[in-house]
Amino acid sequence: MARIAGVSRATVSYVLNDTPRQTISGATRARVLDAAATLGYAPSAAARTLRTGRSDVVLCLLPDWPIGQEVGSLLTHLSTEFAAAGLTFVVHPGTPADRPGGDLWKAITPAAVLAFTGFSDAGIAALRAAGVALVVALLGPGPRPHRELQATQERIGRLQAAHLADAGHLRIGYAYPDDARVRIFAEPRLDGVRAGCAERALPEPEVHTVAVDAEAAAVAVRAWRSAGVTAVCAYNDEVALAVLAGMRDTGLDAPAGLALVGVDDLPAARLAAPALTTVTTDQRAVAAHLAATVVAAVRGGERPVLDAAAVVRLVRRAST
Amino acid sequence: MARIAGVSRATVSYVLNDTPRQTISGATRARVLDAAATLGYAPSAAARTLRTGRSDVVLCLLPDWPIGQEVGSLLTHLSTEFAAAGLTFVVHPGTPADRPGGDLWKAITPAAVLAFTGFSDAGIAALRAAGVALVVALLGPGPRPHRELQATQERIGRLQAAHLADAGHLRIGYAYPDDARVRIFAEPRLDGVRAGCAERALPEPEVHTVAVDAEAAAVAVRAWRSAGVTAVCAYNDEVALAVLAGMRDTGLDAPAGLALVGVDDLPAARLAAPALTTVTTDQRAVAAHLAATVVAAVRGGERPVLDAAAVVRLVRRAST
DNA sequence: GGGCGCGACTGACACGTGTAACTTGCTCCC
DNA sequence: GGGAGCAAGTTACACGTGTCAGTCGCGCCC
């Protein structure tokens, strides 16, 4: 490559990296770029990583709970955003048990790690020490600066509660998910509902755990009804569909029997009878924010602030 | 590391890699392993990749269509399987447009690449040349050896058709998806339905494209009814739910109006009214097969054969 | 007793890159 | 005329690993 461009290897490196404080004549630069193009040359990431001690890979650790299409969409957008910034976005699914010594991070030496949860402060420090520029745990308890999505999830709950309060409901229920693995999502959402109720001087929401199952949901429905609840916020659309099925089994109809609002805007939400009111998140905007945060940390720069209210939106349908 | 174990660097390498044809005394081996453990030493993947020209990363390229939880589950299982084999499984979502020069492969130098589709034979050859041991395009036209999931998808369609034929239906419809991006899944499934019909000497299935939308589905439902169709295979559960919504709008009920069978066994399928009969795939078994295929190619060995019939299963519910 | 094989280990090189330090013309100013 | 300064490159080293070729004792056999 350096040979056929007729320059030294160092010059090639300077040209390809636009190294500052290095002066390269236009002619030489063109020759190098030409040669690279005709040879289809791409620098070896391995060598570069070895030399600099840091790769341009952004690693996203997926938790072990079932990922739906919202997360899928978020990942796709993240990939696009990072590609635009010259970073390689890569996802590692699977349980923590699969990576015994935590050697994955040492092995990949990523520039940044995004995880939904699961980092102790010690774990974060260890990653830092291993050369990772930024570690972001999106959710979970702990100091705010690194929990980028916590406020967004709370906002979702607030929006659900506010919508039902606006419709005149005075006693609100919450359908909490059965699966313990999604608690990190459920807790902030429920906190948001609580905050929304408090804001309107409504009593605390009546929380029941609802498995994705018609009979289990029917039990909760009867409990809500006898407690005077007239509207329910569901953890997500799946749980909402279960509540809907439970109401059907109980001979009730939405919104007359119970008003119902979900989260995620699944395709199935639109097709339900009645069509499900739901809260949707602008995954593209969230992805752009996360990417900007990472890029700022890796390249240096101001970290952006996410306007949680701007990325969540209510989709009104027949169930409320 | 080598210093504190009191041996040469080469010896460390031999111990840690269990290099064949190298004899290491038990005492030395123990000293090295001890030192590695107390130091928390993990070899640098970058250096290793640079030296060997091949990393232990298995890269999975996701297409740009929305990934549901079946794919999510497949990825999780793949991750576990590969971890057990000492390989690192990593997923790259996003459109091909995001990786302009195809430099991702050159940059990562993965041991193997799994993709759902999108490789021309020339592209595969290029990857081979770049040092990738195995390239698997899971679906799509082309020579069989590398289309590992094609037969499984066909089997799904066969199973749908066989189930409806067994129930006595003589005229079968097919609800084809609206989204052009999922055609690689839809085509083999439809081929399977065709084969299943032919096997039972039934006429060709009556194919209609159905958007995930109640009104669009209602049009298709009326068309099927007037053509004498009594049962419909849907591309997946989402399309099936749309058909169900279309039937509701038309005043029909399943299975009396039309029997209906979907694919994927979404949580929503169980909650629909009536509950949806569907075909589900054992993603764990598929993942194990794919992992075994890759491991065989990377380490050398016999490539396993997937019994397509064993991994798909019918879930009978009220809609048929 | 000398050569040979063998177990156990070490020395040295190569992989492809980033970058600090150095060289070489050339211009410009006192 | 000569040194300072700068543009335009080059040389050389380091990153951490895998592995080939050697080295060094030591027992064994003819």
Side-chain angles (χ1 to χ4, degrees):
Chain A
M1 160 70 202
R3 277 203 320 281
I4 104 132
V7 298
S8 82
R9 225 188 29 70
T11 307
V12 173
S13 175
Y14 290 139
V15 169
L16 261 34
N17 295 340
D18 276 339
T19 311
R21 315 258 162 250
Q22 279 293 337
T23 51
I24 307 285
S25 75
T28 317
R29 161 155 300 168
R31 263 217 315 288
V32 170
L33 261 25
D34 255 33
T38 61
L39 264 66
Y41 168 85
S44 146
R48 169 177 280 163
T49 301
L50 176 58
R51 182 62 240 253
T52 60
R54 185 170 300 173
S55 75
D56 63 350
V57 167
V58 176
L59 179 65
C60 179
L61 261 24
L62 245 42
D64 58 344
W65 37 259
I67 68 163
Q69 45 202 358
E70 337 73 50
V71 175
S73 155
L74 177 65
L75 296 179
T76 301
H77 286 130
L78 277 172
S79 182
T80 304
E81 293 287 340
F82 280 121
L87 294 172
T88 305
F89 181 64
V90 136
V91 178
H92 182 79
T95 68
D98 293 344
R99 12 191 161 93
D103 49 359
L104 177 61
W105 313 312
K106 280 183 196 161
I108 303 251
T109 53
V113 174
L114 294 177
F116 283 87
T117 183
F119 281 129
S120 60
D121 287 350
I124 292 184
L127 278 180
R128 274 254 143 79
V132 179
L134 177 69
V135 184
V136 182
L138 301 179
L139 290 170
R144 262 314 158 72
H146 286 288
R147 314 289 156 149
E148 295 287 324
L149 295 190
Q150 190 84 3
T152 305
Q153 298 301 312
E154 280 174 22
R155 194 74 211 181
I156 288 173
R158 281 183 112 89
L159 199 52
Q160 289 181 303
H163 171 61
L164 295 177
D166 285 348
H169 294 282
L170 299 174
R171 196 92 184 81
I172 290 178
Y174 192 83
Y176 197 88
D178 192 27
D179 191 335
R181 295 172 298 177
V182 299
R183 191 173 300 168
I184 43 162
F185 277 93
E187 282 302 329
R189 288 183 190 177
L190 175 51
D191 285 346
V193 171
R194 287 207 183 95
C197 286
E199 213 164 55
R200 310 292 180 112
L202 299 185
E204 280 255 315
E206 190 88 13
V207 180
H208 287 292
T209 297
V210 176
V212 181
D213 175 274
E215 288 100 67
V219 175
V221 166
R222 280 191 287 269
W224 278 316
R225 292 278 296 181
S226 63
V229 167
T230 59
V232 170
C233 303
Y235 160 68
N236 68 4
D237 283 352
E238 274 178 15
V239 173
L241 289 172
V243 172
L244 222 45
M247 291 172 66
R248 208 163 45 222
D249 287 7
T250 321
L252 292 173
D253 227 349
L258 278 176
L260 188 59
V261 50
V263 180
D264 282 348
D265 196 16
L266 296 187
R270 201 156 31 94
L271 300 169
L276 198 59
T277 294
T278 189
V279 173
T280 183
T281 304
D282 183 353
Q283 302 293 0
R284 180 175 204 142
V286 172
H289 165 76
L290 288 176
T293 302
V294 169
V295 169
V298 172
R299 305 234 201 283
E302 205 66 28
R303 284 182 63 166
V305 177
L306 180 63
D307 179 6
V311 297
V312 298
R313 192 169 51 83
L314 186 82
V315 181
R316 295 186 72 141
R317 297 217 182 87
S319 73
T320 57
Chain B
M1 162 71 202
R3 275 201 323 279
I4 102 133
V7 298
S8 82
R9 226 191 26 71
T11 307
V12 173
S13 176
Y14 289 140
V15 169
L16 262 34
N17 296 339
D18 276 338
T19 311
R21 317 256 163 253
Q22 280 292 338
T23 51
I24 306 284
S25 74
T28 315
R29 160 154 301 167
R31 265 219 313 288
V32 171
L33 259 24
D34 255 32
T38 61
L39 264 67
Y41 167 85
S44 146
R48 170 176 278 166
T49 301
L50 177 59
R51 182 61 240 249
T52 61
R54 184 170 303 174
S55 75
D56 63 351
V57 167
V58 176
L59 178 66
C60 179
L61 261 26
L62 246 41
D64 57 345
W65 37 259
I67 67 163
Q69 45 202 358
E70 336 75 48
V71 175
S73 155
L74 177 65
L75 297 180
T76 301
H77 286 129
L78 278 172
S79 182
T80 304
E81 293 286 340
F82 280 121
L87 294 172
T88 305
F89 182 63
V90 135
V91 179
H92 181 80
T95 67
D98 294 344
R99 13 191 159 93
D103 49 358
L104 176 63
W105 313 311
K106 279 183 197 163
I108 303 250
T109 52
V113 174
L114 294 177
F116 283 88
T117 183
F119 281 130
S120 58
D121 288 349
I124 292 184
L127 279 178
R128 275 255 143 79
V132 178
L134 178 67
V135 184
V136 182
L138 301 179
L139 291 169
R144 263 315 159 72
H146 287 288
R147 314 290 157 149
E148 296 286 327
L149 295 189
Q150 189 84 3
T152 306
Q153 297 301 312
E154 281 175 19
R155 195 74 210 180
I156 288 174
R158 281 183 111 91
L159 199 51
Q160 289 182 301
H163 171 61
L164 295 177
D166 285 348
H169 294 281
L170 299 174
R171 195 91 183 82
I172 290 178
Y174 193 83
Y176 198 88
D178 193 26
D179 191 333
R181 296 172 297 176
V182 299
R183 189 173 301 167
I184 43 162
F185 277 93
E187 281 302 328
R189 289 183 190 177
L190 176 51
D191 285 347
V193 172
R194 287 208 182 96
C197 286
E199 216 165 50
R200 310 290 180 113
L202 299 185
E204 281 255 314
E206 190 86 11
V207 180
H208 287 293
T209 297
V210 176
V212 181
D213 175 274
E215 288 100 68
V219 174
V221 167
R222 279 190 289 269
W224 278 316
R225 294 276 297 181
S226 63
V229 167
T230 59
V232 171
C233 305
Y235 160 69
N236 68 4
D237 283 351
E238 275 178 16
V239 172
L241 289 173
V243 172
L244 222 44
M247 290 171 66
R248 209 163 45 223
D249 287 8
T250 321
L252 292 173
D253 227 351
L258 278 178
L260 188 58
V261 50
V263 180
D264 283 347
D265 196 15
L266 295 188
R270 200 156 31 93
L271 300 169
L276 197 59
T277 294
T278 189
V279 173
T280 183
T281 304
D282 183 352
Q283 302 294 0
R284 180 174 205 143
V286 172
H289 165 76
L290 289 176
T293 302
V294 168
V295 169
V298 172
R299 305 234 200 283
E302 205 65 29
R303 287 183 61 167
V305 177
L306 180 64
D307 179 4
V311 296
V312 298
R313 191 170 53 83
L314 185 82
V315 180
R316 296 186 73 140
R317 296 215 183 88
S319 73
T320 56

